[in-house]
Amino acid sequence: MDYKYKIEQLRRQDLLRTVRDRGCPAGRVINIDGRDLLNFSSNDYLGLASSPALIGAAKQALMDYGHGAGASRLLSGGTTVHALLEEKTAAFKGAEKAIMFNSGYAANTGAIPALTDDNSAIFSDALNHASIVDGCRLSAAKRYIYRHNDLDHLESLMKNSPCAHKLVITESVFSMDGDVADIYNLNLLCNKYNAALYIDDAHATGVIGQGRGALAHFNVTPNDNIIQMGTYSKALGSIGGFVAGSEAVIDYLFNTARSLIYSTALPAAAAAASLAAIEYVEAHSELPAELPAELPAELPAELPDLIVKLHKTIDNCRRMLRSKGFTVTLDNTPIIPIVFDSTAETLHISGRLLEMGVYAPAIRPPTVKQPRIRISISAFHEDEDIEHLVNALSEAIR
Ligand SMILES: Cc1ncc(COP(=O)(O)O)c(C=O)c1O
């Protein structure tokens, strides 16, 4: 294959990707190529990634267990910290048991093929993440794609499927659109057709349901037919993925998930940092009800500080963008897409933002069909950051 030619083709189509590494911790301001930029590109929604709590926990585990795990989890790669994290994750998600993977990507590509066989049918939302798509590709199951969030379409596909074992897969908060799947009605539909529901809670964990994710947000009680996948790498500020579910599902995954069995375990330091992050969210999530859509100016003292700060900032940003004429949905999530007609235009806007000190890269095909600036809000943003972002965006599109 002529790779140089292929690269040139990508360049001509405005689809060539460049790596921009930072020379500082992840956070509100990042230094790229010697410039300090306001960071609107991070999934570190609570700003925990560089927090003393996570760094302290990781440091301690590094001293106690060393760095590299040395082997896969099923050999000698795991530690008591890994086991503790799985216990904590299960309790946090209201599940019987949990299993950790090296990443969210490894969780989806390991769990989906392991949980299905050639007698299964997978029903996957059209906008599901690439890791779900790849997990489905690795599965022997028959695959059906239903229109994004279209439960009528899903039902018509399920009704006509001859397969006895059915698995519905959806993200809860969609990674590129920031909208929320109707988990309440998806659960009812799955019950009706005796299907299992696999929820990718990557962008919901730490964000909605007082940080516990989609089931808590929709007030759905976990049961044996619900499998909750998630990642420690986004709002939890760490690294690694997980699946939480019934004891049988998790025990089966320990025996069959190839991305777990054939890959060296994460260092204990990573598990310790994830544990500290869940402890943070848990300590702040003994709340009576879901956060209201419009938060009151005076917040009740028992509300979790970073989660509340995040939601206030999201609310503020979405409202300011709307007031400047941008099309922004009512979803109360930190992912705000500003969609453009062409990749060239999106790249131009992203470049203009960079000139104005804002880092919000263009997201292009094949990641998404319609190119966009994906604004990502974090609890570390201040009101003046949001103001600067919205003014810069207005200026850039002129
Ligand atoms: C919906 C979704 N699932 C899974 C993943 C993979 O998670 P990780 O980054 O931990 O591999 C991502 C990451 O982008 C995601 O957005």
Side-chain angles (χ1 to χ4, degrees), residues 43 102-108 128-132 171 173-176 200-203 229-234 239-241 374:
N43 300 318
N102 288 355
S103 65
Y105 185 89
N108 279 334
N128 275 343
H129 188 255
S131 56
I132 297 175
E171 291 180 42
V173 172
F174 281 86
S175 64
M176 289 296 144
D200 180 331
D201 241 2
H203 297 274
M229 173 272 164
T231 175
Y232 304 110
S233 65
K234 305 201 189 293
I239 185 75
R374 174 186 183 270

Side-chain angles (χ1 to χ4, degrees), residues 101 105-118 120 122 131-141 165 167 169 198 252-253 256-259:
F101 288 84
Y105 185 89
N108 279 334
T109 52
I112 295 169
L115 295 174
T116 49
D117 61 21
D118 54 7
S120 311
I122 293 174
S131 56
I132 297 175
V133 173
D134 292 355
C136 292
R137 285 177 181 161
L138 288 169
S139 162
H165 177 230
L167 182 69
I169 307 181
Y198 182 107
Y252 190 64
L253 287 178
T256 54
R258 294 169 68 85
S259 60

Side-chain angles (χ1 to χ4, degrees), residues 6 13 15 97 102 134-135 137 139 146 167 185 187 228 272 311 315 333 357 397:
K6 293 264 179 200
Q13 293 165 334
L15 295 178
K97 219 167 168 179
N102 288 355
D134 292 355
R137 285 177 181 161
S139 162
Y146 63 92
L167 182 69
N185 283 308
N187 181 46
Q228 299 176 76
H311 282 273
D315 208 36
T333 70
I397 60 166

Side-chain angles (χ1 to χ4, degrees), residues 93-95 172 183-184 187 197 199 201 204 208-209 212-223 226-228 244 290:
K93 290 289 181 178
S172 46
I183 297 296
Y184 184 83
N187 181 46
L197 177 59
I199 301 167
D201 241 2
I208 62 171
R212 288 172 190 267
L215 292 187
H217 178 82
F218 284 97
N219 214 4
V220 172
T221 309
N223 64 49
I226 298 180
I227 299 156
Q228 299 176 76
E290 180 51 63

Side-chain angles (χ1 to χ4, degrees), residues 76-263:
S76 55
T79 65
T80 48
V81 187
H82 292 73
L84 215 56
L85 174 59
E86 285 169 344
E87 248 174 65
K88 179 64 85 184
T89 303
F92 183 59
K93 290 289 181 178
E96 277 176 13
K97 219 167 168 179
I99 178 172
M100 66 179 286
F101 288 84
N102 288 355
S103 65
Y105 185 89
N108 279 334
T109 52
I112 295 169
L115 295 174
T116 49
D117 61 21
D118 54 7
N119 288 313
S120 311
I122 293 174
F123 303 86
S124 181
D125 187 287
L127 292 193
N128 275 343
H129 188 255
S131 56
I132 297 175
V133 173
D134 292 355
C136 292
R137 285 177 181 161
L138 288 169
S139 162
K142 185 154 176 45
R143 285 166 269 155
Y144 301 86
I145 309 298
Y146 63 92
R147 288 190 289 272
H148 180 52
N149 276 340
D150 186 339
L151 271 59
D152 291 336
H153 188 215
L154 170 61
E155 180 162 19
S156 71
L157 293 174
M158 284 212 276
K159 214 186 268 175
N160 293 319
S161 164
C163 297
H165 177 230
K166 297 182 175 68
L167 182 69
V168 173
I169 307 181
T170 185
E171 291 180 42
S172 46
V173 172
F174 281 86
S175 64
M176 289 296 144
D177 291 80
D179 55 340
V180 183
D182 183 355
I183 297 296
Y184 184 83
N185 283 308
L186 275 167
N187 181 46
L188 293 182
L189 204 55
C190 286
N191 289 343
K192 182 172 170 188
Y193 289 93
N194 194 24
L197 177 59
Y198 182 107
I199 301 167
D200 180 331
D201 241 2
H203 297 274
T205 304
V207 174
I208 62 171
Q210 292 125 33
R212 288 172 190 267
L215 292 187
H217 178 82
F218 284 97
N219 214 4
V220 172
T221 309
N223 64 49
D224 282 1
N225 276 330
I226 298 180
I227 299 156
Q228 299 176 76
M229 173 272 164
T231 175
Y232 304 110
S233 65
K234 305 201 189 293
L236 296 177
S238 182
I239 185 75
F242 63 83
V243 175
S246 71
E247 190 173 351
V249 161
I250 302 307
D251 286 347
Y252 190 64
L253 287 178
F254 269 112
N255 284 277
T256 54
R258 294 169 68 85
S259 60
L260 171 95
I261 299 169
Y262 300 109
S263 187

Side-chain angles (χ1 to χ4, degrees), residues 5-41:
Y5 174 73
K6 293 264 179 200
I7 289 173
E8 196 43 43
Q9 270 188 322
L10 288 174
R11 193 192 314 279
R12 287 209 188 120
Q13 293 165 334
D14 287 323
L15 295 178
L16 193 68
R17 294 164 191 242
T18 45
V19 175
R20 286 200 165 111
D21 290 329
R22 66 190 144 74
C24 62
R28 173 179 164 258
V29 175
I30 50 174
N31 190 284
I32 291 179
D33 297 334
R35 288 188 65 209
D36 281 346
L37 301 164
L38 260 180
N39 182 13
F40 284 98
S41 69

